Amino acid sequence: MKKVIVLVLCFAMFFGAVQAKDVTVIFNFPEGTTDIVDTVSVNEDANAFTAVALAAQNNGVELDLSYYDPPGGFFVNSIDGVAPGTSEYWGLFINYLFSMTDGMSTYIPEDNDIVEFAIVGFDFS
């Protein structure tokens, strides 16, 4: 019986460790506003939206989002009341690199990834 209990506990610990990952979320506001940085623990299969929503909830940050289908993802209108100006938008950065292909609905972060939002301008050149 002892072996079974030990085996069950080991199994639970193993799957508990495998089932979660830490993702750091950064809301990078324009100058004059304090940035928000939070590391959250999410399920292994969670997308970046899950981490962003949890970090927002933890820090009392209001997300104003619009959902578009297709392509099946969220557009950020404002974060905590801060909206981009004309010819700007809230851009998604993954590990400090601008994401050209993934949105927060499609990107599945790895353990210890950094998901960041910052206001960027459209490049019309």
Side-chain angles (χ1 to χ4, degrees), residues 8-66:
V8 169
L9 287 175
C10 289
F11 188 77
M13 287 174 54
F14 172 77
F15 277 101
V18 171
Q19 295 285 329
K21 60 186 170 188
D22 291 331
V23 178
T24 298
V25 176
I26 301 172
F27 298 112
N28 187 344
F29 293 104
E31 280 190 51
T33 307
T34 304
D35 295 343
I36 296 172
V37 179
D38 191 12
T39 300
V40 296
S41 184
V42 296
N43 289 338
E44 189 64 33
D45 61 349
N47 59 15
F49 172 76
T50 303
V52 169
L54 184 57
Q57 180 182 10
N58 289 349
N59 292 279
V61 172
E62 182 181 328
L63 298 175
D64 178 9
L65 309 172
S66 296

Side-chain angles (χ1 to χ4, degrees), residues 83-124:
T86 303
S87 300
E88 296 178 326
Y89 63 99
W90 279 103
L92 173 66
F93 293 78
I94 299 168
N95 298 318
Y96 302 111
L97 298 174
F98 182 72
S99 176
M100 298 290 287
T101 57
D102 283 309
M104 69 174 154
S105 303
T106 58
Y107 182 68
I108 307 296
E110 299 290 325
D111 190 33
N112 297 313
D113 269 1
I114 298 167
V115 174
E116 178 180 8
F117 279 95
I119 293 178
V120 297
F122 287 105
D123 182 15
F124 293 110

